[in-house]
PDB file of all heavy atoms in Angstrom:
ATOM      1  N   GLU A 157      90.475  34.969 -15.462  1.00  0.00           N
ATOM      2  CA  GLU A 157      90.725  33.672 -16.062  1.00  0.00           C
ATOM      3  C   GLU A 157      89.382  32.958 -16.380  1.00  0.00           C
ATOM      4  O   GLU A 157      89.219  32.362 -17.436  1.00  0.00           O
ATOM      5  CB  GLU A 157      91.597  32.801 -15.167  1.00  0.00           C
ATOM      6  CG  GLU A 157      91.912  31.463 -15.774  1.00  0.00           C
ATOM      7  CD  GLU A 157      92.848  30.632 -14.899  1.00  0.00           C
ATOM      8  OE1 GLU A 157      93.363  31.207 -13.896  1.00  0.00           O
ATOM      9  OE2 GLU A 157      93.045  29.445 -15.176  1.00  0.00           O
ATOM     10  N   ASP A 158      88.440  33.058 -15.456  1.00  0.00           N
ATOM     11  CA  ASP A 158      87.171  32.427 -15.633  1.00  0.00           C
ATOM     12  C   ASP A 158      86.427  33.116 -16.769  1.00  0.00           C
ATOM     13  O   ASP A 158      85.738  32.468 -17.550  1.00  0.00           O
ATOM     14  CB  ASP A 158      86.347  32.504 -14.369  1.00  0.00           C
ATOM     15  CG  ASP A 158      86.854  31.600 -13.284  1.00  0.00           C
ATOM     16  OD1 ASP A 158      87.553  30.599 -13.609  1.00  0.00           O
ATOM     17  OD2 ASP A 158      86.573  31.835 -12.123  1.00  0.00           O
ATOM     18  N   ASP A 159      86.573  34.439 -16.902  1.00  0.00           N
ATOM     19  CA  ASP A 159      85.915  35.182 -17.962  1.00  0.00           C
ATOM     20  C   ASP A 159      86.389  34.708 -19.322  1.00  0.00           C
ATOM     21  O   ASP A 159      85.613  34.535 -20.250  1.00  0.00           O
ATOM     22  CB  ASP A 159      86.187  36.677 -17.847  1.00  0.00           C
ATOM     23  CG  ASP A 159      85.425  37.291 -16.679  1.00  0.00           C
ATOM     24  OD1 ASP A 159      84.525  36.620 -16.188  1.00  0.00           O
ATOM     25  OD2 ASP A 159      85.816  38.419 -16.240  1.00  0.00           O
ATOM     26  N   GLU A 160      87.733  34.454 -19.452  1.00  0.00           N
ATOM     27  CA  GLU A 160      88.282  34.002 -20.683  1.00  0.00           C
ATOM     28  C   GLU A 160      87.703  32.648 -21.065  1.00  0.00           C
ATOM     29  O   GLU A 160      87.333  32.384 -22.203  1.00  0.00           O
ATOM     30  CB  GLU A 160      89.789  33.901 -20.609  1.00  0.00           C
ATOM     31  CG  GLU A 160      90.444  35.294 -20.526  1.00  0.00           C
ATOM     32  CD  GLU A 160      91.919  35.211 -20.314  1.00  0.00           C
ATOM     33  OE1 GLU A 160      92.459  34.069 -20.351  1.00  0.00           O
ATOM     34  OE2 GLU A 160      92.599  36.223 -20.177  1.00  0.00           O
ATOM     35  N   ASP A 161      87.553  31.790 -20.072  1.00  0.00           N
ATOM     36  CA  ASP A 161      87.015  30.427 -20.362  1.00  0.00           C
ATOM     37  C   ASP A 161      85.589  30.514 -20.788  1.00  0.00           C
ATOM     38  O   ASP A 161      85.147  29.831 -21.693  1.00  0.00           O
ATOM     39  CB  ASP A 161      87.116  29.567 -19.104  1.00  0.00           C
ATOM     40  CG  ASP A 161      88.564  29.194 -18.790  1.00  0.00           C
ATOM     41  OD1 ASP A 161      89.383  29.249 -19.654  1.00  0.00           O
ATOM     42  OD2 ASP A 161      88.800  28.816 -17.610  1.00  0.00           O
ATOM     43  N   GLU A 162      84.823  31.425 -20.169  1.00  0.00           N
ATOM     44  CA  GLU A 162      83.424  31.592 -20.509  1.00  0.00           C
ATOM     45  C   GLU A 162      83.290  32.109 -21.927  1.00  0.00           C
ATOM     46  O   GLU A 162      82.428  31.637 -22.692  1.00  0.00           O
ATOM     47  CB  GLU A 162      82.741  32.537 -19.494  1.00  0.00           C
ATOM     48  CG  GLU A 162      81.230  32.609 -19.708  1.00  0.00           C
ATOM     49  CD  GLU A 162      80.594  33.401 -18.603  1.00  0.00           C
ATOM     50  OE1 GLU A 162      81.129  33.399 -17.493  1.00  0.00           O
ATOM     51  OE2 GLU A 162      79.537  34.019 -18.879  1.00  0.00           O
ATOM     52  N   ASP A 163      84.116  33.079 -22.301  1.00  0.00           N
ATOM     53  CA  ASP A 163      84.060  33.627 -23.642  1.00  0.00           C
ATOM     54  C   ASP A 163      84.320  32.555 -24.669  1.00  0.00           C
ATOM     55  O   ASP A 163      83.680  32.468 -25.704  1.00  0.00           O
ATOM     56  CB  ASP A 163      85.045  34.781 -23.794  1.00  0.00           C
ATOM     57  CG  ASP A 163      84.621  36.020 -22.994  1.00  0.00           C
ATOM     58  OD1 ASP A 163      83.412  36.064 -22.672  1.00  0.00           O
ATOM     59  OD2 ASP A 163      85.435  36.878 -22.776  1.00  0.00           O
ATOM     60  N   ASP A 164      85.335  31.704 -24.378  1.00  0.00           N
ATOM     61  CA  ASP A 164      85.666  30.644 -25.320  1.00  0.00           C
ATOM     62  C   ASP A 164      84.512  29.716 -25.495  1.00  0.00           C
ATOM     63  O   ASP A 164      84.219  29.254 -26.595  1.00  0.00           O
ATOM     64  CB  ASP A 164      86.883  29.860 -24.780  1.00  0.00           C
ATOM     65  CG  ASP A 164      88.150  30.670 -24.910  1.00  0.00           C
ATOM     66  OD1 ASP A 164      88.143  31.659 -25.630  1.00  0.00           O
ATOM     67  OD2 ASP A 164      89.136  30.339 -24.243  1.00  0.00           O
ATOM     68  N   ASP A 165      83.809  29.384 -24.418  1.00  0.00           N
ATOM     69  CA  ASP A 165      82.712  28.419 -24.511  1.00  0.00           C
ATOM     70  C   ASP A 165      81.566  28.972 -25.378  1.00  0.00           C
ATOM     71  O   ASP A 165      80.968  28.225 -26.089  1.00  0.00           O
ATOM     72  CB  ASP A 165      82.166  28.129 -23.103  1.00  0.00           C
ATOM     73  CG  ASP A 165      83.074  27.238 -22.325  1.00  0.00           C
ATOM     74  OD1 ASP A 165      83.948  26.557 -22.933  1.00  0.00           O
ATOM     75  OD2 ASP A 165      82.940  27.185 -21.089  1.00  0.00           O
ATOM     76  N   THR A 166      81.268  30.262 -25.296  1.00  0.00           N
ATOM     77  CA  THR A 166      80.139  30.773 -26.044  1.00  0.00           C
ATOM     78  C   THR A 166      80.425  31.230 -27.423  1.00  0.00           C
ATOM     79  O   THR A 166      79.484  31.465 -28.174  1.00  0.00           O
ATOM     80  CB  THR A 166      79.522  31.986 -25.251  1.00  0.00           C
ATOM     81  OG1 THR A 166      80.549  32.972 -25.102  1.00  0.00           O
ATOM     82  CG2 THR A 166      78.977  31.563 -23.919  1.00  0.00           C
ATOM     83  N   SER A 167      81.660  31.320 -27.808  1.00  0.00           N
ATOM     84  CA  SER A 167      81.975  31.814 -29.164  1.00  0.00           C
ATOM     85  C   SER A 167      82.508  30.775 -30.078  1.00  0.00           C
ATOM     86  O   SER A 167      82.589  30.926 -31.249  1.00  0.00           O
ATOM     87  CB  SER A 167      83.029  32.955 -29.069  1.00  0.00           C
ATOM     88  OG  SER A 167      84.218  32.450 -28.541  1.00  0.00           O
ATOM     89  N   SER A 168      82.902  29.583 -29.556  1.00  0.00           N
ATOM     90  CA  SER A 168      83.463  28.552 -30.402  1.00  0.00           C
ATOM     91  C   SER A 168      82.375  27.594 -30.832  1.00  0.00           C
ATOM     92  O   SER A 168      81.233  27.657 -30.380  1.00  0.00           O
ATOM     93  CB  SER A 168      84.554  27.795 -29.642  1.00  0.00           C
ATOM     94  OG  SER A 168      83.995  27.127 -28.529  1.00  0.00           O
ATOM     95  N   GLY A 169      82.745  26.624 -31.691  1.00  0.00           N
ATOM     96  CA  GLY A 169      81.835  25.592 -32.131  1.00  0.00           C
ATOM     97  C   GLY A 169      81.637  24.567 -31.060  1.00  0.00           C
ATOM     98  O   GLY A 169      82.132  24.733 -29.914  1.00  0.00           O
ATOM     99  N   PRO A 170      80.982  23.462 -31.354  1.00  0.00           N
ATOM    100  CA  PRO A 170      80.805  22.391 -30.381  1.00  0.00           C
ATOM    101  C   PRO A 170      82.118  22.009 -29.729  1.00  0.00           C
ATOM    102  O   PRO A 170      83.098  21.745 -30.396  1.00  0.00           O
ATOM    103  CB  PRO A 170      80.201  21.242 -31.184  1.00  0.00           C
ATOM    104  CG  PRO A 170      79.536  21.910 -32.325  1.00  0.00           C
ATOM    105  CD  PRO A 170      80.320  23.123 -32.620  1.00  0.00           C
ATOM    106  N   ALA A 171      82.142  22.004 -28.372  1.00  0.00           N
ATOM    107  CA  ALA A 171      83.436  22.043 -27.687  1.00  0.00           C
ATOM    108  C   ALA A 171      83.895  20.687 -27.156  1.00  0.00           C
ATOM    109  O   ALA A 171      84.867  20.584 -26.508  1.00  0.00           O
ATOM    110  CB  ALA A 171      83.327  23.039 -26.545  1.00  0.00           C
ATOM    111  N   ALA A 172      83.321  19.682 -27.339  1.00  0.00           N
ATOM    112  CA  ALA A 172      83.724  18.429 -26.703  1.00  0.00           C
ATOM    113  C   ALA A 172      84.867  17.799 -27.348  1.00  0.00           C
ATOM    114  O   ALA A 172      84.981  17.945 -28.484  1.00  0.00           O
ATOM    115  CB  ALA A 172      82.562  17.469 -26.856  1.00  0.00           C
ATOM    116  N   PRO A 173      85.772  17.111 -26.659  1.00  0.00           N
ATOM    117  CA  PRO A 173      87.163  17.434 -26.591  1.00  0.00           C
ATOM    118  C   PRO A 173      87.769  17.917 -27.887  1.00  0.00           C
ATOM    119  O   PRO A 173      87.585  17.286 -28.919  1.00  0.00           O
ATOM    120  CB  PRO A 173      87.814  16.158 -26.112  1.00  0.00           C
ATOM    121  CG  PRO A 173      86.783  15.092 -26.142  1.00  0.00           C
ATOM    122  CD  PRO A 173      85.459  15.731 -26.354  1.00  0.00           C
ATOM    123  N   ALA A 174      88.482  19.005 -27.755  1.00  0.00           N
ATOM    124  CA  ALA A 174      89.023  19.691 -28.936  1.00  0.00           C
ATOM    125  C   ALA A 174      90.109  18.847 -29.577  1.00  0.00           C
ATOM    126  O   ALA A 174      90.965  18.310 -28.913  1.00  0.00           O
ATOM    127  CB  ALA A 174      89.593  21.032 -28.535  1.00  0.00           C
ATOM    128  N   PRO A 175      90.081  18.767 -30.924  1.00  0.00           N
ATOM    129  CA  PRO A 175      91.133  18.001 -31.617  1.00  0.00           C
ATOM    130  C   PRO A 175      92.448  18.784 -31.619  1.00  0.00           C
ATOM    131  O   PRO A 175      92.450  19.982 -31.323  1.00  0.00           O
ATOM    132  CB  PRO A 175      90.607  17.904 -33.054  1.00  0.00           C
ATOM    133  CG  PRO A 175      89.689  19.054 -33.195  1.00  0.00           C
ATOM    134  CD  PRO A 175      89.076  19.264 -31.848  1.00  0.00           C
ATOM    135  N   ARG A 176      93.516  18.127 -31.943  1.00  0.00           N
ATOM    136  CA  ARG A 176      94.851  18.742 -31.956  1.00  0.00           C
ATOM    137  C   ARG A 176      94.853  19.835 -33.047  1.00  0.00           C
ATOM    138  O   ARG A 176      94.411  19.624 -34.176  1.00  0.00           O
ATOM    139  CB  ARG A 176      95.915  17.715 -32.279  1.00  0.00           C
ATOM    140  CG  ARG A 176      97.331  18.259 -32.319  1.00  0.00           C
ATOM    141  CD  ARG A 176      98.292  17.161 -32.576  1.00  0.00           C
ATOM    142  NE  ARG A 176      98.107  16.538 -33.869  1.00  0.00           N
ATOM    143  CZ  ARG A 176      98.697  16.954 -34.989  1.00  0.00           C
ATOM    144  NH1 ARG A 176      99.487  17.999 -34.977  1.00  0.00           N
ATOM    145  NH2 ARG A 176      98.464  16.310 -36.127  1.00  0.00           N
ATOM    146  N   ASP A 177      95.357  21.018 -32.710  1.00  0.00           N
ATOM    147  CA  ASP A 177      95.438  22.095 -33.704  1.00  0.00           C
ATOM    148  C   ASP A 177      96.462  21.730 -34.735  1.00  0.00           C
ATOM    149  O   ASP A 177      97.527  21.174 -34.449  1.00  0.00           O
ATOM    150  CB  ASP A 177      95.880  23.396 -32.994  1.00  0.00           C
ATOM    151  CG  ASP A 177      94.795  23.964 -32.119  1.00  0.00           C
ATOM    152  OD1 ASP A 177      93.624  23.667 -32.384  1.00  0.00           O
ATOM    153  OD2 ASP A 177      95.159  24.663 -31.186  1.00  0.00           O
ATOM    154  N   PRO A 178      96.162  22.009 -36.016  1.00  0.00           N
ATOM    155  CA  PRO A 178      97.095  21.754 -37.086  1.00  0.00           C
ATOM    156  C   PRO A 178      98.427  22.484 -36.845  1.00  0.00           C
ATOM    157  O   PRO A 178      98.434  23.658 -36.553  1.00  0.00           O
ATOM    158  CB  PRO A 178      96.384  22.296 -38.338  1.00  0.00           C
ATOM    159  CG  PRO A 178      94.985  22.337 -37.976  1.00  0.00           C
ATOM    160  CD  PRO A 178      94.928  22.584 -36.508  1.00  0.00           C
ATOM    161  N   SER A 179      99.517  21.795 -36.913  1.00  0.00           N
ATOM    162  CA  SER A 179     100.848  22.385 -36.672  1.00  0.00           C
ATOM    163  C   SER A 179     101.333  23.101 -37.898  1.00  0.00           C
ATOM    164  O   SER A 179     101.120  22.688 -39.035  1.00  0.00           O
ATOM    165  CB  SER A 179     101.850  21.265 -36.290  1.00  0.00           C
ATOM    166  OG  SER A 179     103.163  21.784 -36.329  1.00  0.00           O
ATOM    167  N   GLY A 180     102.054  24.230 -37.681  1.00  0.00           N
ATOM    168  CA  GLY A 180     102.623  24.951 -38.800  1.00  0.00           C
ATOM    169  C   GLY A 180     103.706  24.164 -39.515  1.00  0.00           C
ATOM    170  O   GLY A 180     104.117  24.528 -40.592  1.00  0.00           O
ATOM    171  N   GLN A 181     104.184  23.090 -38.910  1.00  0.00           N
ATOM    172  CA  GLN A 181     105.255  22.282 -39.523  1.00  0.00           C
ATOM    173  C   GLN A 181     104.687  21.186 -40.407  1.00  0.00           C
ATOM    174  O   GLN A 181     105.429  20.546 -41.066  1.00  0.00           O
ATOM    175  CB  GLN A 181     106.119  21.671 -38.412  1.00  0.00           C
ATOM    176  CG  GLN A 181     106.831  22.726 -37.569  1.00  0.00           C
ATOM    177  CD  GLN A 181     107.637  22.097 -36.438  1.00  0.00           C
ATOM    178  OE1 GLN A 181     107.515  20.912 -36.174  1.00  0.00           O
ATOM    179  NE2 GLN A 181     108.481  22.908 -35.786  1.00  0.00           N
ATOM    180  N   VAL A 182     103.404  21.002 -40.404  1.00  0.00           N
ATOM    181  CA  VAL A 182     102.792  19.976 -41.254  1.00  0.00           C
ATOM    182  C   VAL A 182     102.711  20.523 -42.684  1.00  0.00           C
ATOM    183  O   VAL A 182     102.337  21.672 -42.909  1.00  0.00           O
ATOM    184  CB  VAL A 182     101.390  19.618 -40.755  1.00  0.00           C
ATOM    185  CG1 VAL A 182     100.753  18.579 -41.663  1.00  0.00           C
ATOM    186  CG2 VAL A 182     101.510  19.051 -39.334  1.00  0.00           C
ATOM    187  N   SER A 183     103.075  19.692 -43.680  1.00  0.00           N
ATOM    188  CA  SER A 183     103.057  20.124 -45.075  1.00  0.00           C
ATOM    189  C   SER A 183     101.603  20.340 -45.538  1.00  0.00           C
ATOM    190  O   SER A 183     100.641  19.825 -44.946  1.00  0.00           O
ATOM    191  CB  SER A 183     103.709  19.088 -45.974  1.00  0.00           C
ATOM    192  OG  SER A 183     102.960  17.891 -45.991  1.00  0.00           O
ATOM    193  N   LEU A 184     101.439  21.097 -46.622  1.00  0.00           N
ATOM    194  CA  LEU A 184     100.142  21.316 -47.211  1.00  0.00           C
ATOM    195  C   LEU A 184      99.501  20.018 -47.691  1.00  0.00           C
ATOM    196  O   LEU A 184      98.270  19.841 -47.487  1.00  0.00           O
ATOM    197  CB  LEU A 184     100.227  22.328 -48.386  1.00  0.00           C
ATOM    198  CG  LEU A 184     100.511  23.784 -48.023  1.00  0.00           C
ATOM    199  CD1 LEU A 184     100.724  24.599 -49.259  1.00  0.00           C
ATOM    200  CD2 LEU A 184      99.415  24.362 -47.174  1.00  0.00           C
ATOM    201  N   ASP A 185     100.298  19.116 -48.248  1.00  0.00           N
ATOM    202  CA  ASP A 185      99.757  17.835 -48.690  1.00  0.00           C
ATOM    203  C   ASP A 185      99.220  17.063 -47.513  1.00  0.00           C
ATOM    204  O   ASP A 185      98.143  16.439 -47.587  1.00  0.00           O
ATOM    205  CB  ASP A 185     100.822  17.066 -49.413  1.00  0.00           C
ATOM    206  CG  ASP A 185     101.125  17.591 -50.801  1.00  0.00           C
ATOM    207  OD1 ASP A 185     100.324  18.405 -51.292  1.00  0.00           O
ATOM    208  OD2 ASP A 185     102.187  17.242 -51.348  1.00  0.00           O
ATOM    209  N   GLU A 186      99.957  17.078 -46.422  1.00  0.00           N
ATOM    210  CA  GLU A 186      99.532  16.330 -45.227  1.00  0.00           C
ATOM    211  C   GLU A 186      98.291  16.919 -44.626  1.00  0.00           C
ATOM    212  O   GLU A 186      97.358  16.210 -44.183  1.00  0.00           O
ATOM    213  CB  GLU A 186     100.633  16.304 -44.158  1.00  0.00           C
ATOM    214  CG  GLU A 186     100.344  15.431 -42.960  1.00  0.00           C
ATOM    215  CD  GLU A 186     100.175  13.961 -43.364  1.00  0.00           C
ATOM    216  OE1 GLU A 186     100.720  13.557 -44.412  1.00  0.00           O
ATOM    217  OE2 GLU A 186      99.542  13.203 -42.577  1.00  0.00           O
ATOM    218  N   LEU A 187      98.186  18.274 -44.603  1.00  0.00           N
ATOM    219  CA  LEU A 187      96.982  18.929 -44.119  1.00  0.00           C
ATOM    220  C   LEU A 187      95.774  18.607 -44.986  1.00  0.00           C
ATOM    221  O   LEU A 187      94.695  18.385 -44.452  1.00  0.00           O
ATOM    222  CB  LEU A 187      97.202  20.469 -44.146  1.00  0.00           C
ATOM    223  CG  LEU A 187      98.006  21.031 -42.937  1.00  0.00           C
ATOM    224  CD1 LEU A 187      98.199  22.533 -43.204  1.00  0.00           C
ATOM    225  CD2 LEU A 187      97.345  20.802 -41.626  1.00  0.00           C
TER     226      LEU A 187
END
Side-chain angles (χ1 to χ4, degrees):
E157 182 177 351
D158 289 338
D159 288 344
E160 291 175 4
D161 290 340
E162 185 173 331
D163 289 342
D164 289 343
D165 284 344
T166 57
S167 63
S168 63
R176 181 177 64 89
D177 290 332
S179 168
Q181 298 178 349
V182 177
S183 68
L184 288 175
D185 287 344
E186 187 62 23
L187 281 175

